[in-house]
Amino acid sequence: MPAMTSAPFARRLISRFLSGGVFFFLFALTCSVMAEEREGNIYGLPPCVTTTGEQVDFIIKIIFWLTAAVFVLVQGTYIYYLIAYRRRPGVPAHYSHGNNTLEIIWTTLPTIVFLALAIYSNRVWEEIHRPAPENSLTIDVSSYQFGWEMRYPGVSGKLAPMEVRKISPTNRWGTDPEDPRTAQDVISTELVIPVGRPVHLLLHARDVIHSFYVPEFRLYQDCVPGRTIGWVWFQATRTGNFQIACNQLCGTGHYIMKAPIKVVSEEEYQKWIKPRQEKNAGAPAPAAPPSPAKAASLTDQTSKNTL
Ligand SMILES: [Cu+2]
């Protein structure tokens, strides 16, 4: 190996360190530019706008502060012992052979905490998963490569019944073309919902697995081809504009798979839905789908399970 003088080596080390630093800085800058738009504190959770989301937040807060307290306690003790029992000339080392009382305490305490958290989380989970209230507004949400479509009930007030096995490039909602409600259904590329009213979603996928993800609603549910995911319901607590972002890597266009959500007052919602329902009252059968290229992947959907 050739002899290496210390000066060029040090220079090389510094330049590598600097280029690494510049790269890291640019990377961090890119990430921050790409990150979703947030209101207020960008380090905390995004604002929560659903009733069930508040319960999820409560659990997150309990777990966060418990973990923070344990972190400070454990690291504090560790640092104290490092300093108090450091190597000093003339002081003999102290050997500990364990302490049964301490062992019992630090095994029992976390067990109780974990059990309490499990029981409480389970209660919240059941609350979130209970059937949607009677007065819910039911909306069919359909995902495909690479977008979202919503189907609202028409003038009859009821969605045209659908079967997942009937979903195809020529019948993208799997409804019966003969049923008059099929033509009455209102199709939208944005999810418009009234504030303060329970909204029940029927989640569908036409091709591959997608994911309905709205951080502000504290909702995250996969949409699975061949199935109707029917447990998702929520009630918005305030108006605003949000976004559905597909959270399941579903292909090359995954990054553009978004749809706007508008939480509006009941009055504004009626103003939005009424003209559309009236327009469809005597409309012909639905138009062709936006992505006919996905025909092949739909042919094997035979199950009509409902979760
Ligand atoms: Cu997707």
Side-chain angles (χ1 to χ4, degrees), residues 143-148 207-211 246-251 253-254 257:
S143 53
Y144 60 90
Q145 288 171 316
F146 299 97
W148 299 88
D207 34 43
V208 298
I209 299 177
H210 299 280
S211 191
C246 178
N247 204 20
Q248 193 70 254
L249 190 57
C250 56
H254 167 68
M257 194 170 159

Side-chain angles (χ1 to χ4, degrees), residues 262-279:
K262 285 181 189 160
V263 182
V264 295
S265 66
E266 183 68 44
E267 200 186 4
E268 276 176 83
Y269 172 71
Q270 292 303 333
K271 248 193 241 167
W272 179 83
I273 193 78
K274 278 272 148 60
R276 286 167 173 80
Q277 287 175 329
E278 280 158 18
K279 193 176 150 212

Side-chain angles (χ1 to χ4, degrees), residues 128-143:
I128 292 171
H129 279 76
R130 74 187 155 92
E134 284 289 305
N135 62 335
S136 298
L137 165 66
T138 305
I139 305 168
D140 191 352
V141 176
S142 186
S143 53

